[in-house]
Amino acid sequence: MTTCCCCWVLVPQGSAGIMEQVGGQFDDVVPPGLTFFNPCAQKVSGAQSLKVQILRCELNAVSKDRASVFVKCAVIYRAIPSQVHRSYYSMTGAADQIRSYVIANLRGLLPEKTLDEIFTERDHIASTIRKSLAETLANYGFELCDVLLEDIDVRGDIRNSMNQQVYQRYNRQVEQHLGDIQKIHQIAAAEAQAEASRLRGVGTAQERSAIATAFQQSMDGFDANGSMKFAELTALMLMTQYFDMVNDITVHGKVKPSSYYFPLKQGGGLDRGELRERLKRTLQQGKEQHQQQSAPNTTVRRAPIEDADL
């Protein structure tokens, strides 16, 4: 807005005055400040703002997947100082015309993209509008500073549906992570159980080896001293093992993996006397084989108890 008197004009800072000849032809650009002119040959037609201006646009459009979208856009522009006369004379109602250009570009871009693409590619959409509009406005003496998509909104039901999709996606990821954790726990438990079984087997093997070695030494000692007969020794060993088995059942409530329980009497089975006699006979055969071996430090070979015998 300029202040004009008969022979002078006052142009505010951030604006440029337009000086015309009496016939209406453009004469010169009046800079900010106080300027004198010849009122008989010149007149001040108006002023053009050089400040950066912002123009807001709103548009309802339909996306590629038939979703209604409400877009708010901001256009930042200004008149080029060296082309003030062009911006003043070439475009009437600059704001309305720039708004029309922006809306036309948005109507051409939004229907080509889905709703998700509009949200994720909002910067790309703004950049496309900026490139298309900058050249057009430059022809009219305006500089396009920036184009911003301030807000993208949809209907409430569509928004709820999108939130539900996001929730389902994250929930599926959580379920996958929980499944992976459970799988790791199961693998670790299986490995621990396998290692425990291996160590238990090693311990059982060592225990049986120690029992066999001790029994071998006891048999050799009693055989050398002659203090007990072989039959008495065998009966004593069987009774000792029997009471150990009964003690295991009483203390632990069940038979340990290293103990084996033989019923004394069942229908059609062997009683205690018959079982003892067969075990004694097997041990006697092992002792006879041991006595026949001449090589020192030879391990006693016991004849296996066949299934048919028991």
Side-chain angles (χ1 to χ4, degrees):
M1 187 68 180
T2 60
T3 302
C4 184
C5 192
C6 60
C7 61
W8 58 269
V9 61
L10 183 61
V11 179
Q13 184 67 32
S15 299
I18 302 298
M19 185 73 69
E20 295 180 350
Q21 297 178 2
V22 175
Q25 185 179 3
F26 171 73
D27 185 23
D28 196 5
V29 176
V30 181
L34 180 63
T35 302
F36 292 91
F37 63 94
N38 183 4
C40 297
Q42 296 175 318
K43 68 174 182 177
V44 178
S45 175
Q48 177 69 45
S49 175
L50 300 179
K51 297 179 181 179
V52 176
Q53 303 181 60
I54 184 169
L55 175 65
R56 302 187 184 279
C57 308
E58 296 181 356
L59 172 67
N60 281 312
V62 179
S63 63
K64 186 177 181 180
D65 49 358
R66 311 302 298 174
S68 179
V69 185
F70 179 72
V71 180
K72 291 183 179 180
C73 180
V75 181
I76 303 174
Y77 70 99
R78 71 186 183 101
I80 302 175
S82 60
Q83 301 182 15
V84 173
H85 63 287
R86 178 181 296 181
S87 62
Y88 182 80
Y89 288 106
S90 61
M91 185 176 288
T92 302
D96 294 335
Q97 295 193 41
I98 294 174
R99 182 181 291 108
S100 299
Y101 278 115
V102 173
I103 291 177
N105 279 272
L106 286 174
R107 290 190 185 277
L109 290 174
L110 296 182
E112 297 179 354
K113 299 182 180 296
T114 62
L115 185 60
D116 291 338
E117 292 174 346
I118 292 175
F119 279 97
T120 57
E121 300 179 9
R122 58 190 304 169
D123 293 337
H124 176 70
I125 295 174
S127 177
T128 303
I129 297 175
R130 187 184 309 113
K131 292 179 181 179
S132 175
L133 195 59
E135 184 177 356
T136 302
L137 293 183
N139 295 330
Y140 295 101
F142 289 95
E143 177 187 1
L144 182 63
C145 300
D146 203 355
V147 176
L148 304 174
L149 292 183
E150 294 183 322
D151 188 23
I152 300 175
D153 198 7
V154 295
R155 296 198 313 265
D157 54 344
I158 299 178
R159 188 185 304 110
N160 294 335
S161 177
M162 294 175 63
N163 292 335
Q164 188 67 20
Q165 291 179 2
V166 174
Y167 170 77
Q168 293 294 340
R169 181 169 63 252
Y170 281 107
N171 190 38
R172 183 167 56 252
Q173 293 178 357
V174 170
E175 293 294 337
Q176 291 177 353
H177 289 315
L178 292 178
D180 293 339
I181 293 174
Q182 185 177 5
K183 180 180 178 181
I184 293 173
H185 288 172
Q186 292 177 352
I187 293 175
E191 292 177 350
Q193 184 177 3
E195 181 65 15
S197 299
R198 186 186 68 82
L199 295 176
R200 189 182 301 113
V202 172
T204 302
Q206 293 177 352
E207 179 183 2
R208 291 177 179 176
S209 177
I211 292 174
T213 302
F215 180 72
Q216 176 66 37
Q217 294 175 356
S218 299
M219 293 292 293
D220 294 341
F222 281 113
D223 185 53
N225 297 330
S227 58
M228 292 184 66
K229 296 181 179 181
F230 180 76
E232 296 175 351
L233 178 62
T234 303
L236 177 61
M237 184 190 67
L238 291 175
M239 292 303 297
T240 302
Q241 291 183 352
Y242 174 76
F243 284 118
D244 288 341
M245 180 191 67
V246 174
N247 180 67
D248 289 338
I249 297 175
T250 304
V251 174
H252 299 284
K254 61 179 181 179
V255 181
K256 296 192 298 183
S258 60
S259 302
Y260 299 91
Y261 174 71
F262 295 94
L264 296 181
K265 186 65 176 177
Q266 289 184 352
L270 299 175
D271 59 12
R272 184 174 62 182
E274 294 175 351
L275 180 61
R276 183 175 62 183
E277 290 298 324
R278 294 199 177 188
L279 290 175
K280 287 171 60 178
R281 186 166 58 252
T282 301
L283 294 175
Q284 181 65 31
Q285 293 176 359
K287 181 175 178 60
E288 292 175 357
Q289 293 179 2
H290 172 69
Q291 292 176 351
Q292 293 175 0
Q293 294 176 353
S294 58
N297 299 328
T298 304
T299 304
V300 176
R301 296 183 180 178
R302 298 179 178 83
I305 301 176
E306 298 180 355
D307 296 337
D309 295 334
L310 295 178

